[in-house]
Amino acid sequence: MYALRSLSKLVWGANEGAETFKLASGVLYEERPGAKVARKCIYKDSELCIRKTSTPYQYQLVAIRALEEGEDLSDSLDDERSFLIGIELKFTPTTFEGAHGFRWNDVGESTY
C-alpha cells in the first residue's frame, strides 16, 4: 500500500515540496574512460534526490554537495549537479570495491 501511495504522489503530484525522493549521504564520482585518472571524486559528501521541474511530469536527478562545518551557502558556486531524467540517463545500480551505488550517464558528457 505504501508503494502505491508513493507512486501516486510521484505521478499526480504531492504537496510536500519539489523533492520526491532523497538519499541522505554518499560520494559522487565522475568516471572518465580513457583518461589518466578513470574516477574523479566530485563531492566527498553529498545527497541525491529526485526533484520536480517546472514542466509537468518532468523530473531531474540532483546531486547536492553537503556543506562542511562553518561553511556558508554563498562560499561555493558549484554545489549542485542536475540531470534530466529520461531513457538517455541509463540509470542503473552498481557495485564498486564492495560498495553499492548507482551509475548514470550525463548526456553528451561523463558517467557518474
Side-chain angles (χ1 to χ4, degrees):
M1 183 63 180
Y2 177 75
L4 290 176
R5 187 177 320 143
S6 296
L7 182 62
S8 69
K9 286 180 182 179
L10 183 63
V11 174
W12 288 289
N15 294 328
E16 289 103 27
E19 293 178 353
T20 58
F21 177 78
K22 185 186 287 190
L23 290 175
S25 68
V27 181
L28 179 66
Y29 289 100
E30 178 182 12
E31 293 183 3
R32 300 175 295 177
K36 272 187 172 180
V37 179
R39 280 183 111 203
K40 178 182 172 187
C41 181
I42 304 296
Y43 301 146
K44 186 171 64 173
D45 188 16
S46 64
E47 64 181 40
L48 192 67
C49 67
I50 295 176
R51 188 183 290 168
K52 290 180 181 183
T53 65
S54 58
T55 305
Y57 306 109
Q58 277 195 350
Y59 297 87
Q60 57 186 188
L61 181 66
V62 182
I64 305 165
R65 185 178 68 83
L67 297 176
E68 296 177 14
E69 274 188 52
E71 190 176 16
D72 191 10
L73 283 174
S74 61
D75 292 343
S76 176
L77 298 174
D78 187 30
D79 61 346
E80 181 175 297
R81 295 193 184 214
S82 59
F83 312 90
L84 190 61
I85 294 178
I87 196 151
E88 307 85 20
L89 200 61
K90 297 181 183 173
F91 190 79
T92 57
T94 188
T95 304
F96 182 77
E97 295 179 350
H100 299 288
F102 297 99
R103 178 186 188 133
W104 66 89
N105 292 328
D106 183 8
V107 178
E109 292 186 22
S110 302
T111 300
Y112 291 88

